Amino acid sequence: MPKVTWILKDGRKITADVAVGHNLMEAAVANNVPNVIGECGGCLSCATCHVYVDAAWYEKAGHPDDMERDMLEITAAERKPNSRLSCQIKATDALDGIVLHVPEI
Amino acid sequence: MDPIIVVGAGQAGVALAAKLRALGYDGPLLLIGQEPVLPYQRPPLSKKYILGELALDRLLIRPPGWYEEQKVECRLSTRVAHLDPAAKTVSLDDGTDLRYSKLALATGASPLVLPAPIGGKLEGVLRIRSLADADRLAPLLQPGKKLLVIGGGYIGLEAAAVARMKGLEVTLIEKAERILQRVAAPLTSDYFRALHGWHGVSIREAVTLERLEGTEGRLTGARLADGTRIEADLAIVGIGVLPDKGLAIRADLDVDDGIIVDGQCRTSDPDIFAAGDCTSFPWRGERIRLESVGNAIEQAEHAAACMLGETKDYDPVPWFWSDQYDVKLQIAGFHRGYTDTVLRPGKREQSQSVWYYRGEALVAVDAMNDALAYGIGKKVLEARRSIPKAAAADPAVELKTWLTAS
Ligand SMILES: Cc1cc2nc3c(=O)[nH]c(=O)nc-3n(C[C@H](O)[C@H](O)[C@H](O)COP(=O)(O)OP(=O)(O)OC[C@H]3O[C@@H](n4cnc5c(N)ncnc54)[C@H](O)[C@@H]3O)c2cc1C
Ligand code: FES
């Protein structure tokens, strides 16, 4: 199972194994990562699953599609070039080790 | 130390418990729910779950291990039958009494039913509120079957969409002049009427159901007040919900359309809070009740903070979404009391947005396949600002400029 690490604003790290195919919002909620809420359950309606993908992983995680780009306009925290909605990133073996930075909201 | 007890293990109940822990409450915490399954999300029940695209484990609000890890004792299949604010106890349906230090009511809402004398109890007449309802319905959605949807609100329309996607023949009847009358402007009704028409749903508005008919206790069709008859193998009733306020009423707490709470989610008893679909709360000079996931979570989190001493008032920008076929609807704001609407064409296929104004003030936006319109609308509403009608209506005007304009 791919490992995912969330780094919080205060430097605290949360690492978890995530089932292949599960999205990284679900994984965050399952592991009690603060500030990743996922109100809409991952259907690209709420933008409460915003994270910054670590620069080293941004390309591997893939690019946001059109709808996601629009939704990124309304994240509570500042939008950055490496902003993603984590419900749109699915865990795969290629993402084993991925690092996500969690914004303060 | 007596525990904090949360009654109702749904979207609000779980959010409340999780927030209490996140804010540092480390005393005993008990979540009581009458359903036999761990708390789950309801929205997919009328969408992906029924289509078989989302399994139960993905529906759960938190995975099974979470409750133990967070020391949230979750009692399932347990109904709270009675509440005694003076003694600070709740009684379970098995007769056990439990003391609480503080209590939260997150009992949600239950669907309105059609009375038995007009056929509401016939086999084949279903509803979609719980997982059990969805599990009963899903295997019955067979291609070629005739489905009658009673009620043209969001749940009825979503049910019609999934049934069409599964190849049923679908007729939807709506008593009001138009579908979505209670929750949206004519422009939005028009959009969804056209969308469903295009997908082959037969929509009939301004028609009253006289009764459902059956043979040997099984639904066969419906008789309308205008004398017409519709044949049906199945009916889904989506005519609205009533807040579950029975416990509060019997405990003499103040209620109206829901359990009355103040800005700090407190009921008329200082140690009892409430959140989610079951509450009636003060909001910008009026009292409202919302039926949405966003409100269930945000109000519950606010309630948790207030239980621990927060004194700010809950002041949300309401929001809601719905998925039908390949259209995503997102709503920001609350449209009550609007005087005007303007239509803004979108940039994608089937995309548009409807902007609601009370006088010159923007009060709500319905965005169909137009996340940017939704997002900008929500941000503007959060900042308590507006966008001039002419700008909203003109697709050549970039909405983003209004985010920064003063
Ligand atoms: C099919 C469907 C689709 C939906 N789609 C959307 C959508 O797309 N977007 C959106 O924003 N919202 C949607 N909603 C609405 C949303 O699901 C609700 O607003 C939300 O679930 C409310 O959360 P709640 O915790 O207040 O109530 P609920 O989730 O209903 O939870 C309340 C729980 O309390 C339990 N309970 C009640 N009384 C007692 C008692 N005395 N003892 C023990 N337990 C008790 C109930 O059994 C229930 O499990 C949808 C709802 C349905 C049914
Ligand atoms: S969870 Fe709602 S957009 Fe990701």
Side-chain angles (χ1 to χ4, degrees):
Chain A
M1 274 201 269
K3 262 197 192 341
V4 178
T5 298
W6 291 267
I7 302 182
L8 310 184
K9 203 59 188 242
D10 62 10
R12 192 151 63 89
K13 282 187 189 167
I14 298 173
T15 297
D17 293 324
V18 178
V20 168
H22 280 211
N23 70 59
L24 301 190
M25 174 281 291
E26 290 179 277
V29 171
N31 291 288
N32 233 16
V33 174
N35 294 343
V36 179
I37 303 166
E39 286 191 4
C40 75
C43 69
L44 203 46
S45 291
C46 71
T48 63
C49 59
H50 179 208
V51 295
Y52 304 119
V53 178
D54 192 80
W57 290 93
Y58 186 77
E59 284 303 321
K60 278 196 204 123
H63 291 260
D65 70 8
D66 236 30
M67 269 296 259
E68 185 182 340
R69 270 203 299 275
D70 283 354
M71 289 296 291
L72 281 167
E73 294 290 340
I74 60 157
T75 50
E78 181 199 355
R79 177 184 186 172
K80 297 183 186 169
N82 58 339
S83 280
R84 288 294 309 270
L85 295 179
S86 54
C87 69
Q88 301 300 304
I89 307 174
K90 278 205 172 87
T92 59
D93 288 323
L95 293 184
D96 185 23
I98 189 172
V99 175
L100 306 172
H101 301 268
V102 182
E104 196 62 52
I105 48 173
Chain B
M1 182 182 181
D2 292 325
I4 292 183
I5 295 183
V6 181
V7 183
Q11 197 86 55
V14 175
L16 208 154
K19 193 69 178 182
L20 283 172
R21 286 292 184 237
L23 291 173
Y25 170 74
D26 60 5
L29 181 50
L30 186 57
L31 181 61
I32 303 176
Q34 65 194 1
E35 293 186 65
V37 269
L38 282 174
Y40 55 88
Q41 312 170 57
R42 295 181 196 281
L45 296 181
S46 52
K47 308 177 183 86
K48 287 191 167 162
Y49 182 76
I50 281 234
L51 288 172
E53 291 172 14
L54 203 66
L56 175 59
D57 64 324
R58 307 288 289 275
L59 221 54
L60 296 181
I61 295 173
R62 300 281 182 162
W66 181 87
Y67 296 88
E68 207 171 319
E69 187 196 308
Q70 291 295 307
K71 300 198 174 63
V72 175
E73 188 191 337
C74 193
R75 288 211 197 166
L76 303 176
S77 304
T78 304
R79 203 175 80 85
V80 172
H82 188 73
L83 154 63
D84 184 342
K88 294 182 106 178
T89 55
V90 292
S91 319
L92 309 182
D93 50 4
D94 66 4
T96 322
D97 283 348
L98 298 175
R99 282 184 60 83
Y100 62 81
S101 58
K102 287 195 169 65
L103 187 75
L105 297 172
T107 47
S110 301
L112 284 159
V113 292
L114 291 175
I118 67 161
K121 288 261 153 53
L122 289 168
E123 199 185 320
V125 180
L126 296 124
R127 56 183 210 179
I128 322 178
R129 176 76 193 180
S130 66
L131 184 69
D133 294 334
D135 285 340
R136 214 169 291 134
L137 176 62
L140 300 175
L141 294 179
Q142 301 288 346
K145 285 249 156 78
K146 293 188 178 65
L147 168 69
L148 172 67
V149 177
I150 302 163
Y154 289 118
I155 298 224
L157 290 171
E158 287 179 1
V162 292
R164 274 309 289 155
M165 290 161 86
K166 289 206 143 197
L168 283 82
E169 278 178 43
V170 182
T171 304
L172 181 147
I173 59 171
E174 167 57 56
K175 175 166 78 168
E177 227 160 275
R178 55 182 175 86
I179 55 169
L180 300 176
Q181 178 152 303
R182 192 176 65 86
V183 289
L187 285 168
T188 298
S189 300
D190 293 347
Y191 178 96
F192 283 100
R193 184 186 307 105
L195 176 72
H196 282 271
W198 189 79
H199 281 277
V201 175
S202 159
I203 292 191
R204 304 196 44 197
E205 296 163 295
V207 292
T208 316
L209 175 74
E210 197 169 273
R211 73 194 124 88
L212 296 173
E213 299 176 327
T215 28
E216 291 169 8
R218 247 209 93 70
L219 178 77
T220 53
R223 175 82 56 189
L224 306 182
D226 65 6
T228 47
R229 188 171 187 284
I230 296 171
E231 263 185 63
D233 308 301
L234 277 178
I236 297 177
V237 182
I239 54 174
V241 298
L242 283 178
D244 279 326
K245 56 186 179 183
L247 271 179
I249 293 175
R250 293 193 300 277
D252 272 333
L253 301 177
D254 292 345
V255 299
D256 56 14
D257 172 40
I259 302 169
I260 292 186
V261 294
D262 64 13
Q264 286 150 41
C265 309
R266 194 176 277 111
T267 67
S268 50
D269 183 290
D271 290 319
I272 304 177
F273 295 72
D277 280 13
C278 66
T279 66
S280 157
F281 64 94
W283 185 78
R284 306 196 177 178
E286 44 192 335
R287 193 161 264 290
I288 63 175
R289 195 172 65 75
L290 295 174
E291 295 158 14
S292 73
V293 165
N295 180 65
I297 295 175
E298 289 156 29
Q299 194 184 18
E301 293 192 338
H302 196 81
C306 293
M307 287 174 114
L308 302 180
E310 172 65 76
T311 54
K312 269 204 308 255
D313 281 344
Y314 178 55
D315 182 24
V317 170
W319 76 276
F320 183 82
W321 85 95
S322 171
D323 291 302
Q324 294 165 42
Y325 311 104
D326 50 1
V327 171
K328 178 176 299 301
L329 165 74
Q330 292 165 289
I331 303 173
F334 195 58
H335 76 305
R336 191 197 278 179
Y338 73 91
T339 53
D340 289 293
T341 50
V342 302
L343 180 71
R344 180 182 175 88
K347 292 190 171 128
R348 296 191 190 93
E349 217 178 309
Q350 289 186 308
S351 75
Q352 68 174 48
S353 49
V354 177
W355 299 68
Y356 296 73
Y357 290 85
R358 190 186 292 175
E360 293 306 312
L362 178 68
V363 293
V365 183
D366 296 341
M368 283 71 102
N369 277 348
D370 195 341
L372 194 61
Y374 162 77
I376 304 285
K378 186 155 191 264
K379 286 243 160 171
V380 167
L381 289 166
E382 276 164 359
R384 299 218 181 195
R385 302 203 351 253
S386 192
I387 294 179
K389 285 175 209 166
D394 182 356
V397 173
E398 284 293 342
L399 290 174
K400 266 193 242 179
T401 55
W402 289 97
L403 271 185
T404 43
S406 55

